[in-house]
Amino acid sequence: MTGALVPGVFNLFASVSIILVNKQIASVCGFHFILTLLFLNFLTTGSCLEALVRAGYLEVKHLPESDRWLLALMAMCTVLLNNASNEANSVGFYQITKLLIIPTVILIERSKGIVKTYSRGIILSLAVASVGVAIATVSDVEVNVRGSVLAFFSILMTAQFQIWQGSKQHEHGVSAMQITYSVSLPQVVLGFAATLVFDVFAPGLKHFLLLRSGGLLEHEFRSRADVMWIV
């Protein structure tokens, strides 16, 4: 019980912290370059996993090349939509939309003929958690068209990504850490390419992605604190 509780609490703390930090960077620091942050995130993750591999703590098992790049692309789109939704919406609305991912996963699976049974304990836990988060954040809910569209596609993409990643993990017999390491290099390459295109050379194209306009080269940091938040 304790062994499962500690990682669960740590995961919850880390998830909430990431959401709040991303909100701080976008709303308070005024750094709206989500693709640049995405690239830095992938680069940091890949570097840490590479260190674990070289230290002998992680066994390397790669997916087939086509799956590596497709999964990396889906992961990038998923994280991009999640961060864009977080930037465009209030924390309360963003948290509530996250609750819709599990029901969406169930609906997608059933539409494909995959029927899984869930224990009463799991259903009750989800219901209690959903009601608790909804009550705690309802006073912070702000709805806008751009944020709602981003949230909708974020939910769909995240649900589909979780299903596809799980199936590939089971198909190729790899752990969560191994599949993350396998796609880390393609993620860095795709993230860097997207940053160059949308944040550096053609920032006007971000309008079609419902992202805030502006070029990275023209951005001026307000203080050293902004840089520290990003780092």
Side-chain angles (χ1 to χ4, degrees), residues 72-152:
L73 178 62
M74 290 187 66
M76 187 179 75
C77 292
T78 299
V79 180
L80 172 62
L81 285 169
N82 285 336
N83 289 346
S85 176
N86 184 26
E87 180 268 330
N89 295 300
S90 66
V91 174
F93 183 77
Y94 176 77
Q95 290 282 46
I96 290 176
T97 58
K98 297 287 284 185
L99 298 175
L100 298 176
I101 293 176
I102 294 179
T104 304
V105 168
I106 297 174
L107 288 175
I108 293 176
E109 288 179 337
R110 297 208 168 188
S111 68
K112 296 179 179 180
I114 303 173
V115 180
K116 296 181 180 179
T117 57
Y118 299 90
S119 67
R120 291 183 178 180
I122 293 177
I123 295 176
L124 181 60
S125 298
L126 290 174
V128 171
S130 300
V131 172
V133 173
I135 292 176
T137 58
V138 68
S139 61
D140 187 40
V141 173
E142 298 174 6
V143 180
N144 60 81
V145 175
R146 172 175 169 260
S148 299
V149 172
L150 287 170
F152 174 76

Side-chain angles (χ1 to χ4, degrees), residues 110-225:
R110 297 208 168 188
S111 68
K112 296 179 179 180
I114 303 173
V115 180
K116 296 181 180 179
T117 57
Y118 299 90
S119 67
R120 291 183 178 180
I122 293 177
I123 295 176
L124 181 60
S125 298
L126 290 174
V128 171
S130 300
V131 172
V133 173
I135 292 176
T137 58
V138 68
S139 61
D140 187 40
V141 173
E142 298 174 6
V143 180
N144 60 81
V145 175
R146 172 175 169 260
S148 299
V149 172
L150 287 170
F152 174 76
F153 285 107
S154 172
I155 293 168
L156 285 182
M157 180 62 73
T158 302
Q160 184 58 60
F161 173 71
Q162 289 182 357
I163 294 172
W164 201 73
Q165 183 187 39
S167 67
K168 291 301 177 181
Q169 185 176 336
H170 177 74
E171 177 184 348
H172 299 291
V174 295
S175 67
M177 290 282 284
Q178 288 171 331
I179 200 172
T180 302
Y181 175 75
S182 182
V183 302
S184 60
L185 179 58
Q187 283 179 335
V188 170
V189 174
L190 292 173
F192 182 65
T195 297
L196 288 180
V197 172
F198 294 102
D199 281 346
V200 178
F201 296 122
L205 295 177
K206 291 196 291 186
H207 172 75
F208 299 100
L209 300 179
L210 297 181
L211 301 178
R212 287 183 179 270
S213 59
L216 181 62
L217 299 181
E218 288 77 37
H219 179 74
E220 294 183 2
F221 291 101
R222 302 172 184 175
S223 65
R224 293 182 179 178

Side-chain angles (χ1 to χ4, degrees), residues 8 13 29 32 40-41 46 56 87 137 201-202 217:
F13 174 77
C29 300
H32 300 289
L40 294 175
N41 175 43
E87 180 268 330
T137 58
F201 296 122
L217 299 181

Side-chain angles (χ1 to χ4, degrees), residues 5-66:
L5 179 61
V6 174
V9 172
F10 177 79
N11 183 58
L12 177 62
F13 174 77
S15 299
V16 174
S17 298
I18 290 172
I19 292 172
L20 295 178
V21 169
N22 284 337
K23 194 68 176 178
Q24 171 77 18
I25 291 173
S27 301
V28 179
C29 300
F31 193 86
H32 300 289
F33 305 98
I34 298 176
L35 285 164
T36 299
L37 293 175
L38 201 62
F39 164 66
L40 294 175
N41 175 43
F42 289 152
L43 183 61
T44 302
T45 301
S47 299
C48 292
L49 290 175
E50 184 64 32
L52 290 177
V53 169
R54 292 181 180 274
Y57 292 108
L58 179 62
E59 180 186 359
V60 177
K61 284 187 178 180
H62 281 304
L63 302 179
E65 282 300 309
S66 58

